[in-house]
Structures are given as structure tokens and as C-alpha cells.
Coordinates of all heavy atoms in Angstrom, one line a residue:
M1 N 0.9 -1.2 -0.1 CA 0.0 0.1 0.0 C 0.9 1.3 0.0 O 1.9 1.3 0.7 CB -0.8 0.0 1.2 CG -2.1 0.8 1.1 SD -3.2 0.7 2.6 CE -2.8 2.2 3.4
A2 N 0.5 2.3 -0.7 CA 1.2 3.5 -0.8 C 1.2 4.2 0.6 O 0.1 4.3 1.2 CB 0.6 4.4 -1.9
V3 N 2.4 4.7 1.0 CA 2.4 5.3 2.3 C 2.9 6.8 2.1 O 3.9 6.9 1.3 CB 3.4 4.6 3.2 CG1 3.8 5.3 4.5 CG2 2.8 3.2 3.6
P4 N 2.4 7.7 2.7 CA 2.8 9.1 2.5 C 4.3 9.3 3.0 O 4.7 8.7 4.0 CB 1.9 10.0 3.3 CG 1.0 9.1 4.0 CD 1.3 7.7 3.5
K5 N 5.1 10.0 2.1 CA 6.5 10.1 2.5 C 6.7 11.1 3.7 O 7.6 10.9 4.5 CB 7.3 10.6 1.2 CG 8.8 10.4 1.3 CD 9.3 10.5 -0.2 CE 10.8 10.0 -0.1 NZ 11.4 10.0 -1.5
K6 N 6.0 12.2 3.7 CA 6.2 13.2 4.6 C 4.9 13.5 5.4 O 3.8 13.4 4.8 CB 6.6 14.6 3.9 CG 8.1 14.7 3.6 CD 8.9 15.3 4.7 CE 10.4 15.4 4.3 NZ 11.2 14.2 4.6
K7 N 5.1 13.7 6.7 CA 3.9 14.0 7.5 C 3.4 15.4 7.1 O 4.2 16.4 7.0 CB 4.3 14.1 9.0 CG 3.4 14.4 9.9 CD 4.0 14.4 11.4 CE 3.0 14.8 12.4 NZ 3.5 14.5 13.8
H8 N 2.1 15.6 7.0 CA 1.4 16.9 6.7 C 1.5 17.8 7.9 O 1.4 17.3 9.1 CB 0.0 16.7 6.3 CG -0.1 16.3 4.9 ND1 -1.3 16.1 4.3 CD2 0.8 16.0 3.9 CE1 -1.2 15.7 3.0 NE2 0.1 15.7 2.8
S9 N 1.7 19.0 7.7 CA 1.8 20.0 8.9 C 0.5 20.1 9.5 O -0.5 19.8 8.9 CB 2.4 21.3 8.3 OG 1.4 21.9 7.4
K10 N 0.6 20.7 10.7 CA -0.7 20.9 11.5 C -1.5 21.9 10.8 O -2.7 21.8 10.7 CB -0.3 21.5 12.9 CG 0.3 20.5 13.8 CD 0.8 21.2 15.1 CE 1.6 20.2 15.9 NZ 2.7 21.0 16.5
S11 N -1.0 22.9 10.1 CA -1.8 23.9 9.4 C -2.4 23.3 8.2 O -3.6 23.5 7.9 CB -0.9 25.1 8.9 OG -0.4 25.0 7.6
R12 N -1.7 22.3 7.5 CA -2.3 21.7 6.4 C -3.5 20.7 6.9 O -4.6 20.7 6.2 CB -1.2 20.8 5.7 CG -1.8 20.3 4.4 CD -0.6 19.7 3.5 NE -1.3 18.9 2.4 CZ -0.5 18.6 1.4 NH1 0.6 19.1 1.1 NH2 -1.2 18.0 0.4
R13 N -3.2 20.0 7.9 CA -4.2 19.1 8.5 C -5.5 20.0 8.9 O -6.6 19.6 8.6 CB -3.7 18.4 9.7 CG -4.7 17.6 10.4 CD -4.2 17.4 11.9 NE -4.3 18.6 12.7 CZ -3.6 18.7 13.8 NH1 -2.9 17.8 14.3 NH2 -3.8 19.8 14.4
D14 N -5.3 21.1 9.6 CA -6.4 21.9 10.0 C -7.1 22.6 8.9 O -8.3 22.8 9.0 CB -5.9 22.9 11.0 CG -5.4 22.3 12.4 OD1 -5.6 21.1 12.5 OD2 -4.7 23.0 13.1
R15 N -6.4 23.0 7.8 CA -7.1 23.5 6.6 C -8.1 22.5 6.0 O -9.1 22.8 5.6 CB -6.0 23.9 5.6 CG -5.8 25.4 5.4 CD -4.9 25.8 4.3 NE -3.5 25.3 4.5 CZ -2.7 24.9 3.6 NH1 -3.1 24.7 2.4 NH2 -1.4 24.4 4.0
R16 N -7.6 21.3 5.9 CA -8.4 20.3 5.4 C -9.7 20.1 6.3 O -10.8 20.0 5.8 CB -7.7 18.9 5.4 CG -8.6 17.7 4.9 CD -7.8 16.4 4.8 NE -7.4 16.0 6.1 CZ -6.2 15.7 6.5 NH1 -5.2 15.9 5.7 NH2 -6.0 15.3 7.8
R17 N -9.5 19.9 7.6 CA -10.7 19.8 8.6 C -11.5 21.1 8.6 O -12.7 20.9 9.1 CB -10.1 19.5 9.9 CG -9.5 18.1 10.0 CD -9.1 17.8 11.4 NE -8.3 16.5 11.3 CZ -7.6 16.0 12.3 NH1 -7.5 16.6 13.5 NH2 -6.8 15.0 12.2
S18 N -11.0 22.1 8.2 CA -11.9 23.5 8.2 C -13.0 23.2 7.2 O -14.0 23.9 7.3 CB -11.0 24.7 8.0 OG -10.8 24.7 6.6
Q19 N -12.8 22.4 6.1 CA -13.8 22.2 5.2 C -14.9 21.2 5.6 O -15.9 21.1 4.9 CB -13.2 21.7 3.8 CG -12.1 22.6 3.2 CD -12.5 24.0 2.9 OE1 -13.6 24.1 2.3 NE2 -11.8 24.9 3.3
W20 N -14.6 20.5 6.6 CA -15.5 19.4 7.0 C -16.5 19.9 7.9 O -16.3 20.2 9.1 CB -14.6 18.3 7.7 CG -15.2 17.0 8.0 CD1 -15.1 16.0 7.0 CD2 -16.0 16.5 8.9 NE1 -15.9 14.9 7.5 CE2 -16.5 15.2 8.7 CE3 -16.6 17.1 10.2 CZ2 -17.3 14.5 9.5 CZ3 -17.4 16.3 10.9 CH2 -17.8 15.1 10.6
K21 N -17.7 20.1 7.5 CA -18.8 20.5 8.3 C -20.2 19.9 7.9 O -20.3 19.4 6.8 CB -19.0 22.1 8.2 CG -18.7 22.7 6.8 CD -18.8 24.2 6.8 CE -17.6 24.9 6.4 NZ -17.2 24.6 5.1
A22 N -21.1 19.9 8.9 CA -22.4 19.2 8.7 C -23.2 20.1 7.6 O -23.2 21.2 7.8 CB -23.1 19.2 10.0
K23 N -23.8 19.4 6.8 CA -24.7 20.1 5.8 C -26.1 19.9 6.1 O -26.5 18.8 6.6 CB -24.3 19.8 4.4 CG -24.5 18.3 4.0 CD -24.2 18.2 2.4 CE -24.4 16.9 1.8 NZ -24.2 15.7 2.4
T24 N -27.0 20.8 5.8 CA -28.4 20.8 6.1 C -29.0 19.7 5.2 O -28.7 19.6 4.0 CB -29.2 22.0 5.9 OG1 -28.8 22.6 4.6 CG2 -28.8 23.1 6.9
P25 N -29.9 18.8 5.8 CA -30.5 17.8 4.9 C -31.4 18.3 3.9 O -32.1 19.4 4.2 CB -31.1 16.9 5.8 CG -31.4 17.7 7.1 CD -30.2 18.7 7.2
N26 N -31.5 17.8 2.7 CA -32.5 18.4 1.8 C -33.8 17.9 2.2 O -34.3 16.7 2.1 CB -32.1 18.0 0.3 CG -31.4 16.6 0.2 OD1 -31.1 16.0 1.2 ND2 -31.1 16.2 -1.0
L27 N -34.6 18.9 2.6 CA -36.0 18.6 3.1 C -37.0 18.9 1.9 O -36.7 19.8 1.2 CB -36.3 19.4 4.3 CG -35.5 19.2 5.6 CD1 -35.7 20.3 6.5 CD2 -36.0 17.8 6.1
G28 N -38.0 18.1 1.9 CA -39.1 18.4 1.0 C -40.4 18.6 1.7 O -40.5 18.3 2.9
E29 N -41.5 19.1 1.0 CA -42.7 19.3 1.7 C -43.6 18.1 1.5 O -43.6 17.5 0.5 CB -43.3 20.6 1.0 CG -44.1 21.4 2.0 CD -44.7 22.7 1.3 OE1 -45.4 22.5 0.3 OE2 -44.4 23.8 1.8
C30 N -44.3 17.8 2.6 CA -45.2 16.6 2.6 C -46.4 17.1 1.7 O -46.9 18.1 1.8 CB -45.7 16.3 4.0 SG -47.0 15.0 4.0
S31 N -46.7 16.2 0.8 CA -47.9 16.5 -0.2 C -49.2 16.5 0.6 O -50.2 16.9 0.1 CB -48.0 15.5 -1.3 OG -48.0 14.2 -0.8
N32 N -49.3 15.9 1.8 CA -50.5 15.8 2.5 C -50.7 16.9 3.6 O -51.7 17.5 3.6 CB -50.7 14.4 3.1 CG -52.0 14.2 3.9 OD1 -53.0 14.3 3.3 ND2 -51.9 14.0 5.2
C33 N -49.6 17.2 4.4 CA -49.8 18.1 5.4 C -48.9 19.3 5.3 O -48.8 20.2 6.2 CB -49.6 17.4 6.9 SG -47.9 16.9 7.1
Q34 N -48.1 19.3 4.2 CA -47.2 20.5 4.0 C -46.1 20.5 5.0 O -45.6 21.7 5.2 CB -47.9 21.8 3.8 CG -48.5 22.0 2.3 CD -49.7 21.0 2.1 OE1 -50.5 20.9 2.9 NE2 -49.6 20.3 1.0
E35 N -45.8 19.6 5.8 CA -44.8 19.7 6.8 C -43.5 19.3 6.2 O -43.5 18.5 5.2 CB -45.1 18.6 7.9 CG -44.4 18.8 9.3 CD -45.0 19.9 10.0 OE1 -46.1 19.9 10.3 OE2 -44.2 20.8 10.4
L36 N -42.3 19.8 6.6 CA -41.0 19.4 6.1 C -40.7 18.0 6.4 O -40.8 17.6 7.6 CB -39.9 20.5 6.6 CG -39.9 21.8 6.0 CD1 -38.9 22.7 6.6 CD2 -39.8 21.8 4.5
K37 N -40.3 17.2 5.5 CA -39.9 15.8 5.7 C -38.7 15.6 4.7 O -38.4 16.2 3.8 CB -41.1 14.9 5.5 CG -41.6 14.8 4.0 CD -42.6 13.7 4.0 CE -42.8 13.2 2.5 NZ -41.5 12.7 1.9
L38 N -38.1 14.4 5.1 CA -36.9 13.9 4.2 C -37.6 13.2 3.0 O -38.6 12.5 3.2 CB -36.1 12.9 5.0 CG -35.2 13.4 6.2 CD1 -34.7 12.2 7.0 CD2 -34.1 14.2 5.7
P39 N -36.9 13.4 1.8 CA -37.5 12.7 0.7 C -37.4 11.2 0.8 O -36.5 10.7 1.3 CB -36.6 13.3 -0.4 CG -35.4 13.8 0.1 CD -35.8 14.2 1.6
H40 N -38.2 10.5 0.1 CA -38.3 9.0 0.1 C -38.5 8.5 1.5 O -38.1 7.3 1.7 CB -37.0 8.4 -0.6 CG -36.7 9.0 -2.0 ND1 -37.6 8.7 -3.0 CD2 -35.8 9.9 -2.4 CE1 -37.1 9.4 -4.0 NE2 -36.0 10.1 -3.6
R41 N -39.1 9.3 2.4 CA -39.5 8.7 3.7 C -40.9 9.0 3.9 O -41.5 10.0 3.5 CB -38.7 9.5 4.9 CG -37.2 9.4 4.6 CD -36.6 7.9 5.0 NE -35.2 8.0 5.2 CZ -34.3 8.0 4.1 NH1 -34.8 8.0 2.8 NH2 -33.1 7.9 4.3
V42 N -41.5 8.1 4.8 CA -42.9 8.4 5.3 C -42.9 9.6 6.1 O -42.0 9.9 6.9 CB -43.4 7.2 6.1 CG1 -44.7 7.4 6.7 CG2 -43.5 5.9 5.2
C43 N -43.9 10.5 5.9 CA -44.0 11.8 6.6 C -44.1 11.4 8.1 O -44.9 10.6 8.6 CB -45.1 12.5 6.2 SG -45.4 14.0 7.1
P44 N -43.2 12.0 8.9 CA -43.3 11.7 10.4 C -44.5 12.3 11.2 O -44.9 11.8 12.2 CB -42.0 12.3 11.0 CG -41.6 13.3 10.0 CD -42.0 12.9 8.7
S45 N -45.1 13.4 10.6 CA -46.1 14.0 11.3 C -47.6 13.4 10.9 O -48.4 13.4 11.8 CB -46.1 15.5 11.1 OG -46.2 15.8 9.7
C46 N -47.8 13.0 9.7 CA -49.0 12.5 9.3 C -49.1 11.1 8.9 O -50.1 10.4 8.6 CB -49.7 13.4 8.3 SG -49.0 13.3 6.6
G47 N -47.8 10.5 8.6 CA -47.8 9.1 8.2 C -48.0 8.8 6.8 O -48.3 7.5 6.4
H48 N -48.2 9.9 5.9 CA -48.6 9.6 4.5 C -47.3 9.3 3.7 O -46.3 9.9 4.0 CB -49.3 10.8 4.0 CG -50.7 10.7 4.1 ND1 -51.6 10.6 3.0 CD2 -51.6 10.6 5.2 CE1 -52.9 10.4 3.5 NE2 -52.9 10.5 4.8
Y49 N -47.4 8.5 2.7 CA -46.3 8.4 1.7 C -47.0 8.0 0.3 O -47.9 7.1 0.4 CB -45.3 7.3 2.1 CG -44.1 7.4 1.2 CD1 -43.2 8.3 1.2 CD2 -43.9 6.2 0.2 CE1 -42.2 8.3 0.3 CE2 -42.9 6.3 -0.6 CZ -42.0 7.3 -0.5 OH -40.9 7.4 -1.4
D50 N -46.6 8.5 -0.8 CA -47.0 8.3 -2.1 C -48.6 8.3 -2.2 O -49.2 7.5 -2.8 CB -46.6 6.8 -2.5 CG -46.6 6.6 -3.9 OD1 -46.5 7.5 -4.7 OD2 -46.6 5.4 -4.4
G51 N -49.1 9.4 -1.5 CA -50.5 9.7 -1.6 C -51.5 8.7 -0.7 O -52.6 8.7 -1.1
R52 N -50.9 8.0 0.1 CA -51.7 7.2 0.9 C -51.2 7.1 2.3 O -50.1 7.4 2.5 CB -51.9 5.8 0.3 CG -50.5 5.0 0.3 CD -50.5 3.7 -0.5 NE -49.2 3.2 -0.7 CZ -48.6 2.5 0.3 NH1 -49.2 2.1 1.3 NH2 -47.3 2.1 0.2
Q53 N -52.0 6.6 3.3 CA -51.6 6.4 4.6 C -50.7 5.2 4.7 O -51.2 4.0 4.5 CB -52.9 6.3 5.5 CG -52.5 6.3 7.0 CD -52.5 7.7 7.5 OE1 -53.1 8.6 7.1 NE2 -51.5 7.9 8.5
A54 N -49.5 5.4 5.0 CA -48.5 4.3 5.0 C -48.2 3.8 6.4 O -47.7 2.7 6.6 CB -47.3 4.7 4.2
K55 N -48.5 4.6 7.4 CA -48.0 4.3 8.7 C -49.1 4.9 9.7 O -49.6 6.0 9.4 CB -46.7 5.0 9.0 CG -46.1 4.6 10.3 CD -44.7 5.4 10.4 CE -45.1 6.8 11.0 NZ -43.8 7.5 11.3
A56 N -49.5 4.2 10.7 CA -50.4 4.8 11.7 C -49.7 5.8 12.5 O -48.6 5.7 12.8 CB -50.9 3.6 12.5
V57 N -50.5 6.9 12.7 CA -50.0 8.0 13.6 C -50.6 8.0 15.0 O -51.9 7.8 15.1 CB -50.1 9.4 12.8 CG1 -49.0 9.6 12.0 CG2 -51.4 9.5 12.2
K58 N -49.9 8.3 15.9 CA -50.4 8.5 17.3 C -51.1 9.8 17.6 O -50.6 10.8 17.0 CB -49.3 8.2 18.4 CG -48.8 6.8 18.4 CD -47.3 6.5 18.6 CE -46.7 5.7 17.5 NZ -45.4 5.8 17.3
Ligands
ZN1 ZN1 -47.4 14.8 6.2

């Protein structure tokens, strides 16, 4: 396996890690209740998916 010849400096390491941040998930609107939800997931607030009740809601 290829091994790096020289150790990267702290500044180079920290510059790389400065780019590493959490990104906001791409949310879509529920077609039934207009609540924000993740795409390709059953709506957590009303339990609808693909125009029908997919999950019972409490
Ligand atoms: Zn919904």
C-alpha cells in the first residue's frame, strides 16, 4: 500500500478539517400536510407516503 513520504503539517491538516462541516439535509414538503420531511421517507407527522396512509400515527 502506498504510504505518504512526509507528515502533513498541522496547518495543512487543520485547513483540510476546516472544510469538514455538517450540511443541512435536503428537506421536501409533505404532499398531505405540507410539513417538512426527508425525501423518500414516510412523513413523520401524518404518516402519509405516495398519496396514501403508509403508517399509523399516534
Ligand atoms: Zn405529512
Side-chain angles (χ1 to χ4, degrees):
M1 203 177 103
V3 172
K5 197 166 194 175
K6 278 268 181 277
K7 180 178 177 172
H8 281 181
S9 67
K10 286 169 193 147
S11 91
R12 188 171 169 158
R13 177 202 67 197
D14 293 347
R15 251 186 291 141
R16 179 181 65 237
R17 291 184 187 167
S18 76
Q19 304 298 315
W20 197 92
K21 37 182 121 58
K23 61 175 182 337
T24 51
N26 31 1
L27 294 165
E29 214 175 58
C30 174
S31 54
N32 184 60
C33 68
Q34 279 72 49
E35 199 76 54
L36 286 179
K37 66 167 199 69
L38 290 167
H40 308 288
R41 299 290 190 284
V42 171
C43 175
S45 57
C46 70
H48 269 247
Y49 189 74
D50 201 22
R52 65 191 171 83
Q53 191 77 36
K55 189 185 84 178
V57 274
K58 284 141 235 162

